[in-house]
Amino acid sequence: MNRLLLVVVAVIVIIVIAGLAYYFATSQAPTKEYLVVGTSPDFPPFEYIDEEGNVVGFDIDLIRLLAQKAGYKDIKIVTMDFDSLIPALTQGKIDVIASGMTITEERKKVVDFTDPYWEADQAILVREDSGFMPKSIDDLNGKTVGVQTGTTGADYVKSYAEEHGLNINVKEYSSFVLAVQDLVNGRIDAVVVDSPVAKMFEQKYPVTIATIIKTGEQYGFAVRKGETELLQALNKALHEVKNSPEWNKLIEKYFGSAG
């Protein structure tokens, strides 16, 4: 009897310990309800604020799809200036950057990128009525050119001007919208911006693309260094989406073509 009692007590103790271990393990483990997404919503059609004040766009819809396929309930969006995104990511304030960010070697030193999901070049935007129609960066010599701080376009114009001895007054803005508004109001002569975004600005403002500069850039979503599990989950989901009808629906929704 005593031996049986000891066995029963031992079994009960084991069950209690296992239950407590499970409770603490599940209660302390991070939940996967929401993926916190950082973006700079001034880059239509990839991310922008609609008439109702919501952050929308191709990137937003795409990262939401990827998050759900990766096991998250939904995403939470945090907006900030573009040049604040990488610091926010490395400091743990957000989980991923979804903001039309070009994959570069410099950025890869501090963040990890998913596989590319879009390709783009740079465009020179000018006012429709300005009579100024530059065909290259060289034609911007002596002009004031708007760029967004922290972008590859800003880096490209500044480095090109320095290498070729050009006198370009590069004016940096916290958003491309502000740059384009100054262009429309005659405060600057041109804006250098990613080509798909330039095409959207053509539809909304009295501006036109003077020329496209072939740079062959690729966009990717960024995660913190070492977040291998999240990176792999997003890449797996991205592969699934790009090989499904959902991809064409997204392109048709924001670019007007399923091609």
Side-chain angles (χ1 to χ4, degrees):
M1 287 292 293
N2 289 340
R3 181 175 296 178
L4 180 60
L5 180 60
L6 287 174
V7 171
V8 172
V9 171
V11 170
I12 292 173
V13 169
I14 291 171
I15 293 173
V16 170
I17 292 174
L20 288 172
Y22 176 79
Y23 170 78
F24 283 110
T26 55
S27 63
Q28 297 301 315
T31 63
K32 290 187 67 176
E33 284 195 355
Y34 294 97
L35 183 69
V36 182
V37 176
T39 192
S40 178
D42 55 1
F43 202 63
F46 294 95
E47 41 273 330
Y48 59 98
I49 298 174
D50 66 12
E51 295 177 354
E52 298 177 354
N54 301 310
V55 179
V56 297
F58 181 84
D59 282 349
I60 305 304
D61 282 5
L62 178 56
I63 196 63
R64 177 174 281 113
L65 266 177
L66 302 191
Q68 291 171 349
K69 288 181 179 296
Y72 292 87
K73 180 179 178 180
D74 202 351
I75 61 173
K76 286 186 177 179
I77 301 171
V78 180
T79 63
M80 62 191 77
D81 290 344
F82 187 82
D83 60 344
S84 298
L85 288 167
I86 289 181
L89 180 64
T90 58
Q91 293 165 16
K93 296 178 181 178
I94 57 178
D95 299 320
V96 62
I97 296 172
S99 201
M101 182 169 281
T102 298
I103 301 170
T104 68
E105 292 304 316
E106 283 300 309
R107 288 170 179 164
K108 284 165 67 175
K109 293 177 182 178
V110 290
V111 300
D112 286 334
F113 283 99
T114 63
D115 295 334
Y117 65 88
W118 200 265
E119 293 186 1
D121 298 302
Q122 293 294 317
I124 300 177
L125 270 182
V126 296
R127 289 188 307 281
E128 285 181 341
D129 61 354
S130 69
F132 176 53
M133 197 62 58
K135 295 304 177 186
S136 69
I137 295 293
D138 297 88
D139 293 338
L140 299 178
N141 189 38
K143 303 294 184 179
T144 299
V145 178
V147 296
Q148 184 177 31
T149 303
T151 61
T152 51
D155 293 340
Y156 181 82
V157 174
K158 288 186 285 188
S159 62
Y160 189 95
E162 183 177 351
E163 290 172 8
H164 294 80
L166 301 179
N167 179 28
I168 299 177
N169 178 24
V170 180
K171 187 172 182 181
E172 298 191 40
Y173 295 83
S174 61
S175 79
F176 277 122
V177 172
L178 295 176
V180 171
Q181 289 174 344
D182 264 8
L183 175 63
V184 171
N185 292 323
R187 298 189 182 100
I188 59 178
D189 301 299
V191 172
V192 174
V193 58
D194 296 47
S195 52
V197 181
K199 292 174 183 176
M200 293 300 294
F201 282 134
E202 274 190 318
Q203 298 176 23
K204 296 184 177 181
Y205 296 90
V207 297
T208 188
I209 296 174
T211 192
I212 301 288
I213 304 164
K214 296 293 183 181
T215 55
E217 300 175 40
Q218 294 182 314
Y219 297 165
F221 298 118
V223 302
R224 275 185 298 281
K225 279 285 186 184
E227 292 281 354
T228 306
E229 184 178 349
L230 175 58
L231 186 63
Q232 291 177 344
L234 292 178
N235 275 334
K236 181 176 181 293
L238 180 59
H239 178 76
E240 291 177 5
V241 171
K242 291 187 76 172
N243 288 278
S244 75
E246 293 170 304
W247 180 254
N248 285 341
K249 288 179 182 178
L250 276 179
I251 293 176
E252 187 171 6
K253 178 180 179 180
Y254 289 105
F255 298 94
S257 170

